[in-house]
Amino acid sequence: MIWLHLLVVLLFIFIGARFGGIGIGLAGAAGILVLAATGVTVTTDDVPWSVVGIIMAVICTVAALQVVGAMDHLVHLTAVLLRNHPNQITYLAPLVTFLMSMMCGTGHTAYSVIPVIVDVAKEHGIRPSRPLSIAVVASQIGVAASPISAAMVALVVALEPLHVGYLQCLAIVIPTTFIGCAVGAVVAARQGKELGDDPVYKDRISKGLVKPSAAADENYSAPKGAIAGLWIFVVALVLAVAYATVSSDELGIWDNPPMGSTAAIMLIMMTAAAVICLVAKKPMGSIPQQDTYRAGMTAAVCIMGLAWLGNTFVNAYSDQISSALSGPLQSQPWLAAVFFYFAAPLMFSHAATTAAFMPLMVKLSLPATALVASYPAVANYYLLPNYPTTIAAMEMDDTGSTRVGKNVFAHPFVLPGTVSIVVCIALGFLLAPIVL
């Protein structure tokens, strides 16, 4: 029955990918029903509730920032930075998207920056696919490094039996992912023809399909409450990390904390959302109306359905899976990174991939150093050009430089993305033994 049920899991993951959006999670739920109907025991214990809760809490705060205009202010600051240093756009654009994703715990923040990257690149004759490709990749890798992302929480929860703590994970993942994205930017800067030599761009110019760049708004002023909202968010982020620090087992500063770090992140973020709206005198009822809120809640449903589907299958056949995979993975622990690399595009979620498969790797007795080092591979959303931020970059680049070629893997995100993750993982295998 294991092969039949594996086929069911893969089939419904594929169906969900075809549906897109919230359909990914709903297809996962339908797959669970089929597993239950064919003899698999289903329980709500397989739902990654902590992961779902983190997403809901954090996305409320990000949406509150959008309500008070703080996200628009960040985009303005990004535009100023890129326009002041246009020749460095391929290096600065991924820096911005990485930091925004790491701070906010979601890659959806990249949507608002993509048009700015395209405009600045066109203004200065730079091939937009170069900064766009690595900026999109960095926005996803930044989620893996975020102290408040659901994926990081899923990693920490999975590694608890190995006595690996939150701070140790951050100490390894943040520097390795940052350096990995920097190396990916070097690769992206040398990718493709110069814009003026691209035949597709020339054709689109001749047909009048390339719009002129939007002029910078010289009369911009920050919306009321935007700057205060950003400071409240930063303070909340620092408080969440500080609580995790003083309550961690690694440091032993607080022996009996009243709650775990996951609960603290949820409560601090939700409270911050309320305070941001109160200070800016904006209605909290506006939070669910924001694009970021809808995208975040969609992600929560997707993770709930997909991770539940994966956990149900893995827990039902844990012995068989362990016997099949333990040999090769234990002899070559780096294969865990390969597993995550190819699982991520199917799962459409850092958190779902981590929540579904990291506990399995722990059960296979893989060393903690290998698991933490391999973890950034869950950010591989660029392999197939079907993730929303990837699609947005291709659609917003009216020069035609950011496009899919003769096959589904022939697009500008693959090379810088793969190099970035390979560097992250290689550095992780060097740093993890020192930290853990």
Side-chain angles (χ1 to χ4, degrees):
M1 290 295 283
I2 185 174
W3 295 110
L4 171 63
H5 289 148
L6 177 60
L7 179 61
V8 169
V9 171
L10 295 177
L11 175 63
F12 278 92
I13 289 175
F14 176 77
I15 291 172
R18 297 287 292 177
F19 287 160
I22 201 169
I24 299 169
L26 302 183
I32 297 168
L33 283 177
V34 174
L35 291 181
T38 52
V40 175
T41 301
V42 174
T43 171
T44 55
D45 292 339
D46 291 331
V47 180
W49 294 115
S50 294
V51 172
V52 173
I54 283 288
I55 291 176
M56 295 176 67
V58 170
I59 212 64
C60 283
T61 313
V62 174
L65 291 175
Q66 192 172 8
V67 168
V68 303
M71 298 304 296
D72 290 337
H73 187 60
L74 280 177
V75 173
H76 168 73
L77 295 177
T78 299
V80 171
L81 175 66
L82 297 183
R83 291 185 189 280
N84 287 342
H85 306 280
N87 294 330
Q88 305 301 320
I89 189 173
T90 307
Y91 304 99
L92 294 177
L95 172 64
V96 169
T97 56
F98 178 87
L99 292 177
M100 288 178 69
S101 293
M102 191 177 73
M103 286 179 60
C104 300
T106 173
H108 296 297
T109 53
Y111 293 121
S112 55
V113 179
I114 289 173
V116 177
I117 297 172
V118 174
D119 273 352
V120 175
K122 286 194 301 184
E123 282 177 13
H124 295 84
I126 298 168
R127 185 181 181 88
S129 66
R130 292 173 177 172
L132 281 178
S133 61
I134 187 61
V136 168
V137 167
S139 72
Q140 300 303 339
I141 294 179
V143 175
S146 173
I148 57 173
S149 72
M152 179 60 70
V153 170
L155 173 68
V156 173
V157 170
L159 296 182
E160 279 181 358
L162 302 182
H163 306 291
V164 175
Y166 177 77
L167 297 179
Q168 292 170 308
C169 291
L170 292 179
I172 296 166
V173 176
I174 290 178
T176 57
T177 51
F178 182 84
I179 296 171
C181 288
V183 176
V186 174
V187 174
R190 290 156 176 76
Q191 191 172 227
K193 297 180 179 181
E194 296 301 325
L195 185 60
D197 299 328
D198 190 326
V200 174
Y201 173 67
K202 291 180 179 179
D203 181 62
R204 292 181 66 84
I205 280 284
S206 66
K207 294 177 179 178
L209 298 177
V210 179
K211 299 176 182 178
S213 299
D217 184 2
E218 296 180 358
N219 298 318
Y220 171 87
S221 60
K224 183 180 179 181
I227 296 176
L230 280 175
W231 279 112
I232 292 168
F233 175 73
V234 170
V235 169
L237 185 63
V238 170
L239 285 176
V241 175
Y243 182 88
T245 300
V246 299
S247 63
S248 66
D249 292 334
E250 304 102 279
L251 299 181
I253 298 173
W254 197 345
D255 292 332
N256 295 300
M259 56 184 170
S261 58
T262 302
I265 293 173
M266 292 182 192
L267 295 175
I268 291 171
M269 287 295 118
M270 292 177 72
T271 302
V275 174
I276 288 169
C277 290
L278 287 172
V279 169
K281 298 181 180 179
K282 297 288 185 179
M284 295 180 197
S286 299
I287 289 177
Q289 301 170 14
Q290 306 306 309
D291 295 338
T292 49
Y293 181 89
R294 290 194 291 271
M297 291 305 131
T298 296
V301 174
C302 291
I303 289 169
M304 182 178 180
L306 277 182
W308 194 356
L309 175 65
N311 289 343
T312 298
F313 173 78
V314 167
N315 290 335
Y317 294 102
S318 59
D319 292 340
Q320 294 94 318
I321 294 172
S322 296
S323 62
L325 296 180
S326 60
L329 286 173
Q330 287 175 358
S331 62
Q332 303 291 338
W334 59 268
L335 288 174
V338 177
F339 183 92
F340 293 141
Y341 183 86
F342 288 105
L346 298 176
M347 299 295 282
F348 269 80
S349 166
H350 307 72
T353 306
T354 308
F357 299 116
M358 191 62 75
L360 170 64
M361 299 299 173
V362 173
K363 290 180 182 178
L364 294 177
S365 300
L366 266 66
T369 52
L371 295 181
V372 179
S374 300
Y375 160 71
V378 303
N380 175 23
Y381 286 0
Y382 53 79
L383 189 62
L384 300 174
N386 59 352
Y387 195 74
T389 47
T390 305
I391 294 171
M394 291 189 290
E395 290 181 348
M396 293 182 190
D397 179 10
D398 57 358
T399 68
S401 70
T402 310
R403 60 183 183 266
V404 180
K406 295 181 180 179
N407 63 74
V408 72
F409 300 109
H411 55 81
F413 304 93
V414 171
L415 185 58
T418 301
V419 168
S420 296
I421 286 187
V422 168
V423 172
C424 292
I425 293 168
L427 292 175
F429 273 96
L430 293 175
L431 183 58
I434 299 172
V435 175
L436 301 181

